[in-house]
Amino acid sequence: MKKSIMRATLPHPSSQPLLTLLDTIKKAGFDGIQMGIQEPVGELTLRSRDADIDKLRDTMRNAGLEPHSIYLGTRFFHADASDRKRALEDGKRVIDIAAGLGAKTWLIHPGQLSTEVPYDACWQYTLEGLNFLKERAEQTHLRIGLENVWNKFLLSPLEFLRLIEEVHSPQVGIWFDIGNVVAFGYPEQWLRILGPKHLVGLHIKDFKRGPADIFGTYDGFVPLFHGSVNWPIVMRQIAGLGFDDYLVTEVSLGHQPLPDALNEVSRQLDVLFGLAKK
């Protein structure tokens, strides 16, 4: 397994461009960065020129950091058909950006369930979206991972599994966020049920359940090892699946100096690596 950090947890591009951080990130022991489509300002947007994408890829690799995956760029849950069509066209552009960047996986947040877009419609829109994008993903060898997020949708591993199997593509699976499950489930159970075939990538973060060990709010996302995730069991489960890719941290770096924060997270990943070997 290798160390990675999500771009969104680093200082915003408007305050500190990524290229000024690469040396610090590498010195902390990271091997890669999960890049994001950050609108309207960021290293990557839907309007990024191919030449700029190539330059970013080469600069990161020369610094010893792999832009191994990419997140966001499109969402499926729109009541208006023209908005859904535009989202899919955006998705095609994201696949092209990922190919130019050399990313192997693309994390999709499908959107937010609402009174305007009900559950069964979200299911249909997700199937339509993934079926539309899978052929292009197969052509570029990009894996698409639908993330389990707090959007009132796909609340069980069995349901997630059913949707992925209906799409029926080796390039479409789940990007599993460990901390996002804890408020209403157990990540080790999700990992076992989904299995290695469908696991595209991992977000590493912790969550502490509230009163009676069942409730939770966004305040429940806490530093690693301060929450309710049973990390020894989870890491053994991950190792048992044969997962040997990036562990991508999505944790707050707090208010300490950035080098200190990155070193702390890197040491925490070392602990997780050790747990995976036990």
Side-chain angles (χ1 to χ4, degrees):
M1 289 182 237
K2 295 174 284 189
K3 299 179 183 180
S4 177
I5 190 166
M6 190 180 186
R7 173 65 182 96
T9 66
L10 296 165
H12 192 271
S14 61
S15 62
Q16 200 163 0
L18 179 65
L19 297 187
T20 67
L21 303 173
L22 297 181
D23 186 57
T24 302
I25 295 168
K26 183 61 181 178
K27 285 181 177 177
F30 288 88
D31 306 294
I33 302 175
Q34 184 181 46
M35 301 296 294
I37 303 293
Q38 295 178 289
E39 302 286 353
V41 178
E43 293 84 24
L44 293 172
T45 74
L46 293 173
R47 299 169 305 284
S48 292
R49 298 182 306 168
D50 291 347
D52 293 332
I53 296 169
D54 292 344
K55 183 177 179 181
L56 175 63
R57 176 200 63 217
D58 293 344
T59 301
M60 293 183 66
R61 288 180 175 175
N62 288 338
L65 292 163
E66 182 183 8
H68 59 87
S69 61
I70 192 168
Y71 60 87
L72 295 184
T74 188
R75 294 189 177 183
F76 303 138
F77 297 172
H78 300 281
D80 185 80
S82 61
D83 289 338
R84 294 198 301 276
K85 183 178 180 180
R86 185 162 48 252
L88 295 180
E89 290 301 318
D90 289 345
K92 288 165 60 177
R93 177 57 186 154
V94 175
I95 293 176
D96 291 341
I97 291 172
L101 195 65
K104 301 181 181 70
T105 53
W106 173 26
L107 179 159
I108 288 183
H109 180 321
Q112 196 71 30
L113 195 75
S114 67
T115 54
E116 291 76 24
V117 188
Y119 203 109
D120 52 348
C122 288
W123 183 277
Q124 187 60 37
Y125 298 159
T126 302
L127 284 176
E128 290 173 356
L130 292 174
N131 281 322
F132 178 86
L133 295 170
K134 70 180 183 182
E135 182 177 353
R136 199 178 189 94
E138 289 164 359
Q139 292 170 351
T140 61
H141 305 290
L142 180 77
R143 291 204 73 187
I144 297 175
L146 196 67
E147 187 184 14
N148 54 300
V149 291
W150 282 19
N151 61 349
K152 304 180 177 68
F153 184 62
L154 298 178
L155 299 177
S156 84
L158 297 175
E159 192 177 25
F160 228 116
L161 189 63
R162 176 188 160 192
L163 185 138
I164 292 170
E165 290 180 342
E166 283 194 27
V167 176
H168 192 60
S169 170
Q171 300 308 112
V172 177
I174 180 173
W175 186 286
F176 186 61
D177 187 304
I178 291 171
N180 283 352
V181 163
V182 178
F184 51 85
Y186 300 93
E188 61 271 22
Q189 294 179 11
W190 278 63
L191 287 162
R192 177 181 57 79
I193 292 168
L194 290 164
K197 178 182 176 181
H198 302 299
L199 184 60
V200 171
L202 288 168
H203 267 172
I204 302 296
K205 65 174 182 266
D206 214 331
F207 182 88
K208 188 170 181 61
R209 298 189 188 94
D213 201 36
I214 55 174
F215 301 111
T217 69
Y218 278 109
D219 292 335
F221 290 107
V222 293
L224 293 178
F225 310 122
H226 290 262
S228 302
V229 175
N230 189 327
W231 287 109
I233 290 179
V234 167
M235 291 310 300
R236 285 199 297 272
Q237 184 67 60
I238 291 171
L241 295 177
F243 185 84
D244 192 29
D245 206 337
Y246 285 95
L247 298 187
V248 184
T249 58
E250 187 187 3
V251 297
S252 170
L253 297 179
H255 301 290
Q256 59 182 316
L258 184 62
D260 295 339
L262 291 171
N263 285 330
E264 180 179 358
V265 174
S266 181
R267 287 192 295 269
Q268 291 169 338
L269 286 173
D270 287 334
V271 173
L272 294 181
F273 292 163
L275 292 174
K277 296 177 182 179
K278 293 184 177 180

Short mmCIF file of all heavy atoms in Angstrom, two decimals, residues 18-53:
data_model
loop_
_atom_site.label_atom_id
_atom_site.label_comp_id
_atom_site.label_asym_id
_atom_site.label_seq_id
_atom_site.Cartn_x
_atom_site.Cartn_y
_atom_site.Cartn_z
N LEU A 18 -0.70 24.37 -5.49
CA LEU A 18 -0.21 23.02 -5.21
C LEU A 18 1.28 22.86 -5.52
O LEU A 18 2.00 22.19 -4.78
CB LEU A 18 -1.02 21.99 -6.01
CG LEU A 18 -0.59 20.54 -5.83
CD1 LEU A 18 -0.84 20.08 -4.40
CD2 LEU A 18 -1.31 19.64 -6.82
N LEU A 19 1.73 23.47 -6.61
CA LEU A 19 3.12 23.26 -7.02
C LEU A 19 4.11 23.75 -5.98
O LEU A 19 5.25 23.28 -5.93
CB LEU A 19 3.38 23.96 -8.36
CG LEU A 19 2.56 23.43 -9.55
CD1 LEU A 19 3.02 24.08 -10.85
CD2 LEU A 19 2.63 21.91 -9.66
N THR A 20 3.68 24.69 -5.12
CA THR A 20 4.56 25.16 -4.05
C THR A 20 4.58 24.20 -2.86
O THR A 20 5.37 24.37 -1.94
CB THR A 20 4.13 26.55 -3.56
OG1 THR A 20 2.85 26.46 -2.91
CG2 THR A 20 4.04 27.53 -4.72
N LEU A 21 3.68 23.20 -2.88
CA LEU A 21 3.56 22.27 -1.75
C LEU A 21 4.18 20.91 -2.03
O LEU A 21 4.33 20.10 -1.11
CB LEU A 21 2.08 22.06 -1.41
CG LEU A 21 1.26 23.30 -1.07
CD1 LEU A 21 -0.21 22.93 -0.91
CD2 LEU A 21 1.77 23.95 0.21
N LEU A 22 4.53 20.65 -3.27
CA LEU A 22 4.94 19.30 -3.65
C LEU A 22 6.13 18.80 -2.85
O LEU A 22 6.15 17.65 -2.38
CB LEU A 22 5.25 19.24 -5.15
CG LEU A 22 4.08 19.52 -6.09
CD1 LEU A 22 4.54 19.40 -7.55
CD2 LEU A 22 2.90 18.60 -5.82
N ASP A 23 7.13 19.62 -2.66
CA ASP A 23 8.33 19.20 -1.93
C ASP A 23 8.00 18.86 -0.48
O ASP A 23 8.48 17.85 0.05
CB ASP A 23 9.39 20.30 -1.98
CG ASP A 23 10.71 19.85 -1.37
OD1 ASP A 23 11.26 18.83 -1.82
OD2 ASP A 23 11.18 20.51 -0.42
N THR A 24 7.14 19.67 0.14
CA THR A 24 6.75 19.42 1.53
C THR A 24 5.96 18.12 1.65
O THR A 24 6.17 17.33 2.59
CB THR A 24 5.89 20.58 2.06
OG1 THR A 24 6.63 21.80 1.94
CG2 THR A 24 5.51 20.37 3.50
N ILE A 25 5.07 17.87 0.70
CA ILE A 25 4.26 16.65 0.71
C ILE A 25 5.16 15.42 0.54
O ILE A 25 5.01 14.41 1.25
CB ILE A 25 3.19 16.71 -0.39
CG1 ILE A 25 2.19 17.83 -0.09
CG2 ILE A 25 2.45 15.38 -0.52
CD1 ILE A 25 1.27 18.16 -1.25
N LYS A 26 6.09 15.51 -0.39
CA LYS A 26 6.98 14.37 -0.64
C LYS A 26 7.88 14.11 0.56
O LYS A 26 8.08 12.95 0.95
CB LYS A 26 7.83 14.64 -1.88
CG LYS A 26 8.74 13.47 -2.27
CD LYS A 26 7.91 12.24 -2.59
CE LYS A 26 8.79 11.05 -2.95
NZ LYS A 26 8.00 9.83 -3.21
N LYS A 27 8.41 15.15 1.17
CA LYS A 27 9.28 14.98 2.34
C LYS A 27 8.55 14.34 3.51
O LYS A 27 9.18 13.69 4.36
CB LYS A 27 9.88 16.32 2.75
CG LYS A 27 11.00 16.80 1.83
CD LYS A 27 11.57 18.13 2.29
CE LYS A 27 12.73 18.55 1.40
NZ LYS A 27 13.28 19.89 1.79
N ALA A 28 7.24 14.52 3.57
CA ALA A 28 6.45 13.90 4.64
C ALA A 28 6.24 12.41 4.40
O ALA A 28 5.74 11.71 5.29
CB ALA A 28 5.11 14.61 4.78
N GLY A 29 6.60 11.94 3.21
CA GLY A 29 6.52 10.50 2.96
C GLY A 29 5.38 10.06 2.06
O GLY A 29 5.13 8.85 1.92
N PHE A 30 4.69 11.01 1.43
CA PHE A 30 3.57 10.65 0.56
C PHE A 30 4.09 10.26 -0.82
O PHE A 30 5.11 10.76 -1.30
CB PHE A 30 2.57 11.80 0.47
CG PHE A 30 1.78 12.01 1.73
CD1 PHE A 30 2.27 12.83 2.74
CD2 PHE A 30 0.57 11.35 1.91
CE1 PHE A 30 1.55 13.00 3.92
CE2 PHE A 30 -0.14 11.52 3.08
CZ PHE A 30 0.34 12.35 4.09
N ASP A 31 3.32 9.37 -1.45
CA ASP A 31 3.69 8.88 -2.77
C ASP A 31 2.79 9.45 -3.87
O ASP A 31 3.16 9.40 -5.05
CB ASP A 31 3.57 7.35 -2.82
CG ASP A 31 4.38 6.69 -1.72
OD1 ASP A 31 5.61 6.80 -1.75
OD2 ASP A 31 3.77 6.08 -0.81
N GLY A 32 1.60 9.93 -3.51
CA GLY A 32 0.67 10.43 -4.51
C GLY A 32 -0.29 11.44 -3.94
O GLY A 32 -0.35 11.66 -2.72
N ILE A 33 -1.04 12.06 -4.84
CA ILE A 33 -2.07 13.03 -4.47
C ILE A 33 -3.31 12.71 -5.28
O ILE A 33 -3.24 12.49 -6.50
CB ILE A 33 -1.64 14.49 -4.76
CG1 ILE A 33 -0.35 14.82 -4.00
CG2 ILE A 33 -2.74 15.47 -4.38
CD1 ILE A 33 0.21 16.20 -4.33
N GLN A 34 -4.45 12.67 -4.61
CA GLN A 34 -5.73 12.56 -5.33
C GLN A 34 -6.15 13.96 -5.74
O GLN A 34 -6.48 14.79 -4.92
CB GLN A 34 -6.81 11.91 -4.46
CG GLN A 34 -8.10 11.69 -5.22
CD GLN A 34 -9.18 11.06 -4.39
OE1 GLN A 34 -9.42 11.47 -3.26
NE2 GLN A 34 -9.85 10.07 -4.93
N MET A 35 -6.12 14.21 -7.04
CA MET A 35 -6.42 15.52 -7.57
C MET A 35 -7.93 15.71 -7.72
O MET A 35 -8.68 14.75 -7.79
CB MET A 35 -5.73 15.70 -8.92
CG MET A 35 -4.22 15.55 -8.85
SD MET A 35 -3.45 16.83 -7.83
CE MET A 35 -3.81 18.29 -8.83
N GLY A 36 -8.34 16.99 -7.79
CA GLY A 36 -9.76 17.29 -7.91
C GLY A 36 -10.06 18.28 -9.01
O GLY A 36 -9.20 19.10 -9.36
N ILE A 37 -11.25 18.17 -9.55
CA ILE A 37 -11.76 19.20 -10.45
C ILE A 37 -12.31 20.30 -9.56
O ILE A 37 -13.33 20.12 -8.90
CB ILE A 37 -12.86 18.66 -11.37
CG1 ILE A 37 -12.35 17.47 -12.18
CG2 ILE A 37 -13.39 19.75 -12.28
CD1 ILE A 37 -11.29 17.81 -13.19
N GLN A 38 -11.62 21.41 -9.47
CA GLN A 38 -11.97 22.48 -8.53
C GLN A 38 -12.44 23.70 -9.32
O GLN A 38 -11.66 24.43 -9.90
CB GLN A 38 -10.77 22.83 -7.65
CG GLN A 38 -10.33 21.68 -6.74
CD GLN A 38 -9.12 22.04 -5.91
OE1 GLN A 38 -8.02 22.14 -6.41
NE2 GLN A 38 -9.33 22.24 -4.62
N GLU A 39 -13.76 23.88 -9.33
CA GLU A 39 -14.37 25.01 -10.03
C GLU A 39 -14.67 26.14 -9.05
O GLU A 39 -15.12 25.88 -7.93
CB GLU A 39 -15.67 24.57 -10.71
CG GLU A 39 -15.50 23.42 -11.70
CD GLU A 39 -14.84 23.83 -13.00
OE1 GLU A 39 -14.63 25.05 -13.21
OE2 GLU A 39 -14.53 22.95 -13.80
N PRO A 40 -14.49 27.40 -9.45
CA PRO A 40 -13.96 27.83 -10.75
C PRO A 40 -12.44 27.97 -10.78
O PRO A 40 -11.87 28.20 -11.84
CB PRO A 40 -14.61 29.20 -10.93
CG PRO A 40 -14.71 29.75 -9.55
CD PRO A 40 -14.98 28.56 -8.65
N VAL A 41 -11.78 27.83 -9.60
CA VAL A 41 -10.33 28.04 -9.53
C VAL A 41 -9.66 26.79 -9.00
O VAL A 41 -10.07 26.24 -7.98
CB VAL A 41 -9.99 29.24 -8.61
CG1 VAL A 41 -8.48 29.42 -8.52
CG2 VAL A 41 -10.65 30.52 -9.12
N GLY A 42 -8.63 26.34 -9.69
CA GLY A 42 -7.87 25.19 -9.21
C GLY A 42 -6.86 24.76 -10.25
O GLY A 42 -6.81 25.30 -11.36
N GLU A 43 -6.02 23.79 -9.86
CA GLU A 43 -5.05 23.28 -10.83
C GLU A 43 -5.75 22.61 -12.00
O GLU A 43 -5.24 22.62 -13.12
CB GLU A 43 -4.10 22.27 -10.16
CG GLU A 43 -3.19 22.86 -9.12
CD GLU A 43 -3.86 22.98 -7.76
OE1 GLU A 43 -4.83 22.23 -7.50
OE2 GLU A 43 -3.41 23.83 -6.96
N LEU A 44 -6.91 22.02 -11.72
CA LEU A 44 -7.70 21.35 -12.75
C LEU A 44 -9.13 21.86 -12.73
O LEU A 44 -9.78 21.88 -11.68
CB LEU A 44 -7.71 19.83 -12.52
CG LEU A 44 -6.37 19.09 -12.68
CD1 LEU A 44 -6.53 17.65 -12.21
CD2 LEU A 44 -5.89 19.15 -14.12
N THR A 45 -9.61 22.28 -13.87
CA THR A 45 -11.02 22.62 -14.05
C THR A 45 -11.47 21.95 -15.34
O THR A 45 -10.67 21.40 -16.11
CB THR A 45 -11.26 24.14 -14.14
OG1 THR A 45 -10.81 24.61 -15.43
CG2 THR A 45 -10.52 24.89 -13.04
N LEU A 46 -12.76 21.99 -15.61
CA LEU A 46 -13.28 21.42 -16.85
C LEU A 46 -12.74 22.15 -18.08
O LEU A 46 -12.81 21.64 -19.19
CB LEU A 46 -14.81 21.43 -16.84
CG LEU A 46 -15.47 20.51 -15.80
CD1 LEU A 46 -16.98 20.74 -15.78
CD2 LEU A 46 -15.16 19.05 -16.09
N ARG A 47 -12.21 23.35 -17.85
CA ARG A 47 -11.69 24.15 -18.97
C ARG A 47 -10.16 24.06 -19.09
O ARG A 47 -9.57 24.76 -19.92
CB ARG A 47 -12.09 25.62 -18.80
CG ARG A 47 -13.59 25.84 -18.79
CD ARG A 47 -13.95 27.23 -18.35
NE ARG A 47 -13.38 27.57 -17.05
CZ ARG A 47 -13.83 27.14 -15.89
NH1 ARG A 47 -14.89 26.34 -15.86
NH2 ARG A 47 -13.25 27.47 -14.75
N SER A 48 -9.54 23.22 -18.29
CA SER A 48 -8.08 23.09 -18.34
C SER A 48 -7.62 22.66 -19.74
O SER A 48 -8.21 21.76 -20.35
CB SER A 48 -7.60 22.06 -17.32
OG SER A 48 -7.79 22.52 -16.00
N ARG A 49 -6.57 23.29 -20.23
CA ARG A 49 -6.03 22.94 -21.53
C ARG A 49 -5.18 21.67 -21.43
O ARG A 49 -4.55 21.41 -20.40
CB ARG A 49 -5.17 24.08 -22.07
CG ARG A 49 -5.93 25.39 -22.30
CD ARG A 49 -5.01 26.44 -22.88
NE ARG A 49 -3.81 26.62 -22.05
CZ ARG A 49 -2.74 27.30 -22.44
NH1 ARG A 49 -2.69 27.85 -23.66
NH2 ARG A 49 -1.69 27.43 -21.62
N ASP A 50 -5.19 20.88 -22.48
CA ASP A 50 -4.43 19.63 -22.48
C ASP A 50 -2.96 19.86 -22.19
O ASP A 50 -2.32 19.09 -21.46
CB ASP A 50 -4.59 18.92 -23.83
CG ASP A 50 -6.00 18.38 -24.05
OD1 ASP A 50 -6.78 18.34 -23.07
OD2 ASP A 50 -6.32 18.02 -25.19
N ALA A 51 -2.40 20.94 -22.74
CA ALA A 51 -0.98 21.23 -22.52
C ALA A 51 -0.70 21.51 -21.05
O ALA A 51 0.35 21.10 -20.50
CB ALA A 51 -0.54 22.41 -23.37
N ASP A 52 -1.64 22.19 -20.37
CA ASP A 52 -1.46 22.50 -18.94
C ASP A 52 -1.59 21.23 -18.10
O ASP A 52 -0.90 21.08 -17.08
CB ASP A 52 -2.48 23.54 -18.49
CG ASP A 52 -2.24 24.90 -19.13
OD1 ASP A 52 -1.08 25.19 -19.47
OD2 ASP A 52 -3.21 25.65 -19.31
N ILE A 53 -2.47 20.33 -18.52
CA ILE A 53 -2.63 19.05 -17.81
C ILE A 53 -1.34 18.23 -17.93
O ILE A 53 -0.85 17.65 -16.95
CB ILE A 53 -3.83 18.26 -18.36
CG1 ILE A 53 -5.12 19.03 -18.09
CG2 ILE A 53 -3.89 16.87 -17.75
CD1 ILE A 53 -6.32 18.48 -18.83
#
